[in-house]
Amino acid sequence: MKFLALCGSLRTGSFNGAVVRAAAELCAPRTSLEIGPDLGQLPFFNQDVELRALPPKVRELRERCAASDGLLIASPEYARGTSGVLKNALEWLVGSGEQVGKPVALVTASTSAQGGDRAQAWLAETLTMMGTKVLPEGLRIGQAAAKVTDGRLVDEATRQELHALLAELARVAEDTRQDATAG
């Protein structure tokens, strides 16, 4: 199984970037996780542009999403929601449907004690409206500055929680695949 990770932060020292890199290392056997395109390179969503000629970076995002068995989305929390770049990426996906029916695991990493819980709630609501299967057991990483060192997620308990979330994503993706072939 192949999963696609989208990181909602552009910052070089991003905690969420560290999370997706750790996730690529922690995948369950027989699964892989590919880190998605740089969301900062996507143009702002514009339906007129979408209808005329799809920009290459948007086409790449859609193709990689379509080729995946599920998504891992890691996001910071900005103003009680997700980042603008992640919201923009979701806007490019919403009308085309590559994400419909796919399982999605959410991770939010934040310096706050709550670990980005409001961003995760916002994402869960948006992704549910987009037709995805959001796993109810997302991971909230609070006080992330103490858990990431030199761009690596080093906190062992958090790494174990991330591994468990990825295993659940794989289980749900396998169930989804079996349901599709049985139906």
Side-chain angles (χ1 to χ4, degrees):
M1 255 180 279
K2 186 167 86 174
F3 299 113
L4 178 66
L6 300 178
C7 180
S9 179
L10 302 178
R11 193 171 62 85
T12 302
S14 164
F15 303 130
N16 289 282
V19 167
V20 296
R21 288 188 298 276
E25 300 167 5
L26 297 170
C27 277
R30 300 183 326 273
T31 65
S32 66
L33 185 130
E34 177 179 290
I35 297 174
D38 177 356
L39 301 184
Q41 293 183 9
L42 295 173
F44 288 118
F45 176 77
N46 180 327
Q47 192 174 25
D48 291 338
V49 171
E50 180 182 40
L51 295 173
R52 275 196 313 268
L54 203 60
K57 290 293 180 182
V58 173
R59 186 176 305 106
E60 176 191 356
L61 172 66
R62 288 180 174 182
E63 288 171 356
R64 289 174 75 181
C65 183
S68 74
D69 293 298
L71 303 171
L72 172 73
I73 298 179
S75 175
E77 181 173 289
Y78 296 137
R80 295 186 167 211
T82 192
S83 64
V85 295
L86 184 53
K87 172 76 165 88
N88 185 53
L90 296 178
E91 288 175 353
W92 279 112
L93 291 174
V94 73
S96 58
E98 289 86 1
Q99 78 292 338
V100 172
K102 291 189 188 291
V104 179
L106 297 175
V107 179
T108 47
S110 169
T111 55
S112 76
Q114 292 80 21
D117 58 343
R118 294 171 293 212
Q120 195 162 127
W122 184 95
L123 280 166
E125 180 179 358
T126 300
L127 288 159
T128 298
M129 292 299 298
M130 290 173 64
T132 69
K133 296 179 179 180
V134 178
L135 275 62
E137 57 282 328
L139 177 59
R140 292 165 189 83
I141 304 172
Q143 301 172 328
K147 298 173 182 174
V148 173
T149 302
D150 297 326
R152 287 192 39 85
L153 180 62
V154 295
D155 182 72
E156 192 54 40
T158 304
R159 289 177 66 84
Q160 289 175 10
E161 289 178 286
L162 181 58
H163 178 73
L165 180 64
L166 292 166
E168 180 62 9
L169 179 61
R171 185 193 67 74
V172 173
E174 182 61 33
D175 289 350
T176 300
R177 182 185 284 175
Q178 288 177 2
D179 289 347
T181 58

